[in-house]
Amino acid sequence: MEENEIPELKAQIPEWAVIEIDGIKRIERKFKFKNFKEALEFTNRVGELAEAEDHHPALLTEWGSVTVTWWTHSVGGLHRNDFIMAARTDEIYR
Amino acid sequence: MEENEIPELKAQIPEWAVIEIDGIKRIERKFKFKNFKEALEFTNRVGELAEAEDHHPALLTEWGSVTVTWWTHSVGGLHRNDFIMAARTDEIYR
């Protein structure tokens, strides 16, 4: 994926942020929930999607929130597929 | 809990590290698994413990690992109970 494609893809998932950790670009969104149980249920639903697609995010489950981070290890950064997975994560949340 | 109690309690959970984020002391351990599915199963088991005790950690689930972080919001740092929860997390892993 070319660097200049990011803004266009990012526009389709406005609630996600592009971040960089250890020199690797990632997209991240923190989803809010009313307690720990609902947060963990969301983690499991995103986990099911990840297993189905064999593409796995980092999922930080806390009381009242889940922070989801997508990136592609094999390219050391963002791939078009990460943006698709982010959009599908938004669908699960809705 | 007194600051000077930490080393004694910490000695009972040698694989955990005491870390400080945003001025708040926490205990953290990264548990390894052979894939995403097993990592997520562990997250759920620790989540069940958390719900049963009404004390909730941060659980970072990734492909092949879960990083568990315990601290106590109400005291803005570590409480004796966090060390007990860490020991029980170790038991789940074993």
Side-chain angles (χ1 to χ4, degrees), chain A residues 36 44 56 58-61 63, chain B residues 36 44 56 58-61 63:
Chain A
F36 183 82
N44 278 289
H56 300 88
L59 295 162
L60 177 62
T61 310
W63 195 99
Chain B
F36 184 82
N44 278 289
H56 300 89
L59 294 162
L60 177 62
T61 310
W63 195 98

Side-chain angles (χ1 to χ4, degrees), chain A residues 66-80:
Chain A
V66 179
T67 304
V68 182
T69 312
W70 291 101
W71 76 99
T72 300
H73 289 77
S74 60
V75 303
L78 290 168
H79 182 277
R80 188 179 296 270

Side-chain angles (χ1 to χ4, degrees), chain A residues 26 36-37 40 43-44 46-48 50-51 54 56-63 67 71 73, chain B residues 26 36-37 40 43-44 46-48 50-51 54 56-63 67 71 73:
Chain A
R26 306 156 199 247
F36 183 82
K37 187 167 177 284
L40 187 55
T43 292
N44 278 289
V46 178
E48 278 171 32
E51 284 287 273
D54 197 21
H56 300 88
L59 295 162
L60 177 62
T61 310
E62 297 177 276
W63 195 99
T67 304
W71 76 99
H73 289 77
Chain B
R26 305 155 201 247
F36 184 82
K37 186 168 178 285
L40 187 54
T43 292
N44 278 289
V46 178
E48 278 170 33
E51 285 289 272
D54 197 22
H56 300 89
L59 294 162
L60 177 62
T61 310
E62 298 177 277
W63 195 98
T67 303
W71 76 98
H73 289 78

Side-chain angles (χ1 to χ4, degrees), chain B residues 37-93:
Chain B
K37 186 168 178 285
E38 291 195 2
L40 187 54
E41 282 167 2
F42 182 72
T43 292
N44 278 289
R45 293 187 65 194
V46 178
E48 278 170 33
L49 167 67
E51 285 289 272
E53 297 297 331
D54 197 22
H55 187 50
H56 300 89
L59 294 162
L60 177 62
T61 310
E62 298 177 277
W63 195 98
S65 73
V66 179
T67 303
V68 182
T69 312
W70 291 101
W71 76 98
T72 300
H73 289 78
S74 60
V75 303
L78 290 167
H79 182 279
R80 189 179 296 270
N81 190 39
D82 294 307
F83 292 86
I84 294 167
M85 296 301 274
R88 293 184 66 184
T89 308
D90 283 346
E91 276 168 31
I92 292 171
Y93 187 62

Side-chain angles (χ1 to χ4, degrees), chain A residues 2-93:
Chain A
E2 300 299 328
E3 191 79 3
N4 60 17
E5 289 180 82
I6 291 179
E8 187 187 330
L9 290 166
K10 170 72 184 64
Q12 293 168 43
I13 50 164
E15 295 180 277
W16 293 70
V18 177
I19 60 166
E20 191 166 326
I21 303 172
D22 301 332
I24 295 172
K25 281 208 169 60
R26 306 156 199 247
I27 45 176
E28 185 166 280
R29 180 179 171 188
K30 186 172 185 171
F31 295 87
K32 298 291 182 69
F33 300 92
K34 69 179 186 200
N35 53 37
F36 183 82
K37 187 167 177 284
E38 291 195 4
L40 187 55
E41 282 167 4
F42 182 73
T43 292
N44 278 289
R45 293 187 64 195
V46 178
E48 278 171 32
L49 167 67
E51 284 287 273
E53 298 296 331
D54 197 21
H55 187 48
H56 300 88
L59 295 162
L60 177 62
T61 310
E62 297 177 276
W63 195 99
S65 73
V66 179
T67 304
V68 182
T69 312
W70 291 101
W71 76 99
T72 300
H73 289 77
S74 60
V75 303
L78 290 168
H79 182 277
R80 188 179 296 270
N81 189 41
D82 294 307
F83 292 85
I84 294 168
M85 296 301 274
R88 294 184 66 184
T89 308
D90 283 346
E91 276 168 33
I92 291 171
Y93 186 63

